[in-house]
Amino acid sequence: LDGLLKGKFRGCMLGTLLGDCLGAPFEGEAGSKVVVQKYFEKIDGPYKKSPQKRYTDDTAMMKSVAKCLIDKPSMDFKYLANLFVKEYYNEPRRGYGANVVEVFHKLRSSKFEDVYKPAREQFNGTGSYGNGGAMRMAPIPLFFNNNYEAMIEAATNATRLTHTHSIGINGALLQAIAIHQSLMLDPHEKADHQIYTKKLIEKMKAIETEDIHDLLDHTPYQTQLKKVAELLNLETSKKEISEDEVVAALGNSIAALHSVPTSIYCYLKAQNEIAGIETDNPFRRTIQYAISLGGDTDTIAAMAGSIAGAHYGEEFIGENLRKHCEFVDEIIEISDELFKVTPIS
Ligand code: R7I
Ligand code: MG
Ligand code: MG
Ligand code: MG
């Protein structure tokens, strides 16, 4: 059982890395199943040496979250803010969100006096609703897999360092909850998408309680999740849903509300065959399909990949895909260190 969980840790962390690296070349493009199928045929075909795909801010920040848990298992958010800033100034050209860099500048110049203040000041005080909190979530549901309440609290605070808009925070919480749910599943069995989405909606009901005054819908994630469930139900009754329809219904942007539910949809849909995606492997199918939707491809593939990786575990992640990405061995090492410090009941 220990080995199973260790493999799921690796699968989840590699899911972020591989989705990020393989999705990054398509960020901001219109989706295309045909183009992305050809791309994956090359990557997953007979190995030809080629420059490895580089990871972006998604993995850079996820790595800091993992390091924080490894170094300070009781979670020290000032330390985490330091790690984010150090990482950014070391390698600023990793494709960070346009506005979040302002937070890093302010954190540094204020000497980390109040680590939550710079994020609160973003966008004239509303805070960012970008998916930057959600994209780096993976280590938190892994470490707190035994303690749901502690997971929610840590995920909230880790997000608030850069994102304070309730959409930004609740998107990160939904991502953590999805990983947490998938971690509990048997790698060789499919998740029942009706039960899976119903559970997510129930948990979001407990989270989307405060009125969000600047929004017409006060339970936006529950609304999105109901759409996810509807799309999957339509597919069960044999109706094919096009990528355009998915994007129109759920979105594919850098807004957390229009990317986290999309990632969950990608993962659940890719449990089964998808026309135009030629692979038997559900992990590859998840990230390939996510990238086919276009838009924020690195992040949607990274988030879908980490949920899928938490379900299937490392053994479903093929050698070919790994060879084309930088930092694979390092992520495995970090994942194993995280596993070592994780409290097991
Ligand atoms: O959320 P964040 O870390 O960006 C993550 C994304 C991922 O796709 C990464 O791969 C990377 O490419 O960036 O960074 P932020 O700068 O906080 O938010 C990203 C963008 O979302 C901002 O630059 C804005 O365009 C938009 N945005 C908002 N726009 C208006 N009002 C986020 N919050 C707001 C808002 O409140
Ligand atoms: Mg990125
Ligand atoms: Mg608000
Ligand atoms: Mg992105």
Side-chain angles (χ1 to χ4, degrees):
L1 210 70
D2 222 44
L4 175 69
L5 194 59
K6 191 174 176 180
K8 280 170 165 277
F9 271 52
R10 287 184 178 189
C12 178
M13 303 271 290
L14 285 171
T16 297
L17 176 71
L18 268 57
D20 183 15
C21 289
L22 298 176
F26 298 90
E27 198 180 17
E29 287 183 17
S32 167
K33 236 184 208 166
V34 177
V35 170
V36 176
Q37 172 60 27
K38 284 194 182 133
Y39 169 77
F40 270 83
E41 272 169 25
K42 276 193 196 146
I43 285 172
D44 208 6
Y47 182 64
K48 282 202 219 97
K49 213 170 163 53
S50 62
Q52 286 184 322
K53 313 270 179 243
R54 282 166 56 79
Y55 67 78
T56 76
D57 57 324
D58 304 55
T59 302
M61 297 194 85
M62 185 271 273
K63 192 172 81 175
S64 294
V65 173
K67 184 170 167 49
C68 182
L69 286 161
I70 292 162
D71 292 350
K72 315 258 179 189
S74 54
M75 235 12 205
D76 176 339
F77 296 99
K78 190 166 178 174
Y79 182 67
L80 181 56
N82 263 278
L83 292 176
F84 285 156
V85 167
K86 208 184 280 173
E87 177 71 36
Y88 169 71
Y89 283 101
N90 260 339
E91 295 193 85
R93 299 166 73 93
R94 287 279 183 187
Y96 283 86
N99 293 75
V100 72
V101 298
E102 182 71 15
V103 174
F104 302 142
H105 295 313
K106 284 184 181 174
L107 282 169
R108 190 166 80 160
S109 63
S110 69
K111 303 206 166 66
F112 300 89
E113 205 196 328
D114 175 357
V115 288
Y116 296 114
K117 185 162 175 261
R120 278 199 304 267
E121 293 170 353
Q122 293 293 88
F123 300 96
N124 300 314
T126 64
S128 172
Y129 55 58
N131 55 23
M135 73 187 183
R136 63 183 185 239
M137 246 328 103
I140 292 178
L142 297 179
F143 182 84
F144 292 103
N145 72 82
N146 268 328
N147 190 341
Y148 183 84
E149 293 309 320
M151 172 186 85
I152 295 295
E153 197 193 323
T156 303
N157 290 330
T159 301
R160 280 173 58 223
L161 293 173
T162 51
H163 294 68
T164 63
H165 195 295
S166 59
I167 290 282
I169 293 175
N170 292 347
L173 295 182
L174 176 56
Q175 174 66 12
I177 293 166
I179 291 173
H180 186 258
Q181 264 183 213
S182 289
L183 204 56
M184 308 303 161
L185 298 172
D186 181 338
H188 297 283
E189 276 174 30
K190 288 177 188 175
D192 178 321
H193 65 80
Q194 287 179 327
I195 296 173
Y196 192 97
T197 50
K198 193 168 162 248
K199 280 187 182 167
L200 290 179
I201 290 166
E202 273 166 21
K203 289 171 195 158
M204 290 312 289
K205 207 174 274 174
I207 288 167
E208 294 187 302
T209 49
E210 53 170 319
D211 281 2
I212 304 170
H213 296 292
D214 50 347
L215 296 173
L216 289 172
D217 180 356
H218 290 180
T219 57
Y221 281 102
Q222 290 168 70
T223 303
Q224 286 286 81
L225 287 166
K226 282 174 196 155
K227 289 191 227 165
V228 168
E230 272 165 33
L231 290 173
L232 293 165
N233 279 336
L234 282 172
E235 281 158 7
T236 308
S237 54
K238 293 279 183 285
K239 188 185 177 314
E240 262 210 49
I241 313 283
S242 71
E243 291 76 71
D244 286 347
E245 287 173 282
V246 172
V247 171
L250 303 176
N252 64 355
S253 75
I254 51 184
L257 185 62
H258 300 118
S259 52
V260 179
T262 312
S263 301
I264 293 166
Y265 171 77
C266 291
Y267 152 67
L268 289 170
K269 177 182 173 97
Q271 295 191 110
N272 298 304
E273 284 179 19
I274 301 174
I277 297 191
E278 313 291 328
T279 178
D280 295 332
N281 180 297
F283 176 82
R284 174 182 144 181
R285 199 184 294 128
T286 301
I287 58 174
Q288 184 175 333
Y289 179 72
I291 296 169
S292 301
L293 295 178
D296 193 3
T297 49
D298 63 335
T299 305
I300 296 174
M303 296 191 295
S306 61
I307 301 168
H311 179 171
Y312 305 123
E314 164 180 47
E315 60 179 292
F316 280 76
I317 303 180
E319 271 311 309
N320 291 334
L321 301 192
R322 296 181 196 212
K323 276 186 195 147
H324 287 274
C325 301
E326 69 168 331
F327 215 64
V328 166
D329 293 340
E330 290 88 342
I331 282 294
I332 291 175
E333 214 172 285
I334 293 169
S335 171
D336 288 354
E337 281 177 47
L338 181 66
F339 184 70
K340 230 185 280 168
V341 300
T342 295
I344 308 286
S345 69

